[in-house]
Amino acid sequence: MSTRLQVLRKRFFEAKADVGSSNREMRRASARKLERLKSKGDSKALVAGLKDPALTSYDRERLEQMITDLLPRRRVRLPRSLTNWAFSLLRNVRYAWRGLLLLGVMLLPFAVIGSIALMNTGRMIGTFNNDYNISSKFPDGHTEVIPVRVGAAVIVTGRLSNGDYRLRFWTTDYGYGYATISSALLNQIVKY
């Protein structure tokens, strides 16, 4: 049995050496084939060389990388206007309605904050041209009639649906106050 085992081992090592030498020869042939393809410089021959069975996977990857390097780079196109950008965004989003829904949910807080800021932003600034007592509501929630002096600054923050105006003004005693007055009264007591 030991002689038989020795014979098997010898055959195994010889076969292993034959496989190693054939693999080396195959790698050399593949490298020569790759060098020939590179020397031609023809792009069609390079692409056709990708299907050549004589190339090893390593040389095929090198050839793919070389072809990739020869291809022109992709140019990023920026839209020329905001409307083109919006149309392209909508064109891409219509296939992904979940993304559009998520975008809407994400923009909702900004819309609410923006509308609150817009409601409290002044539309015009004026000064009182005579003394007047205004019923004002203050940030802490209490309502009080306070005297407003001539020359006090007033900010018109908006117009209500019934035609009245909402005013915001500052007093040193109470801070910011809000008042609602009619348009006729506004024209009598406020100078723009």
Side-chain angles (χ1 to χ4, degrees):
M1 177 93 172
S2 65
T3 58
R4 208 165 169 196
L5 185 59
Q6 287 177 350
V7 170
L8 285 174
R9 281 188 180 177
K10 183 179 177 188
R11 286 184 185 170
F12 177 72
F13 288 128
E14 288 173 358
K16 197 172 182 181
D18 288 343
V19 168
S21 66
S22 66
N23 282 341
R24 274 191 302 278
E25 186 56 39
M26 187 175 69
R27 284 193 299 269
R28 286 182 190 145
S30 176
R32 285 192 300 267
K33 181 74 171 180
L34 182 63
E35 289 303 319
R36 271 189 257 129
L37 287 172
K38 283 183 183 179
S39 66
K40 285 183 181 178
D42 183 23
S43 59
K44 289 182 182 179
L46 290 175
V47 173
L50 288 173
K51 296 180 181 178
D52 192 355
L55 290 178
T56 60
S57 60
Y58 174 74
D59 288 334
R60 190 170 289 116
E61 287 175 11
R62 288 179 53 199
L63 183 61
E64 285 176 5
Q65 185 62 41
M66 189 171 60
I67 292 171
T68 304
D69 292 340
L70 292 175
L71 291 174
R73 298 280 180 223
R74 183 175 176 186
R75 200 177 97 197
V76 177
R77 294 184 57 188
L78 298 175
R80 292 187 179 190
S81 70
L82 189 59
T83 55
N84 287 345
W85 178 79
F87 284 134
S88 68
L89 178 69
L90 288 175
R91 194 174 31 234
N92 291 330
V93 168
R94 73 176 175 199
Y95 298 110
W97 61 271
R98 289 183 192 115
L100 183 61
L101 182 67
L102 182 64
L103 180 68
V105 168
M106 287 172 43
L107 290 178
L108 186 64
F110 294 111
V112 169
I113 291 170
S115 65
I116 291 171
L118 187 63
M119 285 183 349
N120 292 317
T121 301
R123 305 273 193 261
M124 52 185 147
I125 300 174
T127 56
F128 286 99
N129 56 9
N130 55 9
D131 291 342
Y132 193 73
N133 293 331
I134 294 182
S135 175
S136 303
K137 185 173 184 177
F138 292 94
D140 61 357
H142 80 279
T143 303
E144 191 172 328
V145 176
I146 61 167
V148 180
R149 308 265 183 246
V150 174
V154 64
I155 299 171
V156 179
T157 58
R159 190 168 190 176
L160 302 175
S161 59
N162 62 359
D164 292 345
Y165 285 94
R166 186 172 183 189
L167 303 178
R168 186 174 67 194
F169 54 92
W170 171 261
T171 61
T172 56
D173 298 333
Y174 303 104
Y176 273 109
Y178 289 95
T180 304
I181 61 172
S182 66
S183 60
L185 187 59
L186 179 72
N187 292 332
Q188 290 174 6
I189 63 171
V190 175
K191 179 176 67 173
Y192 303 107

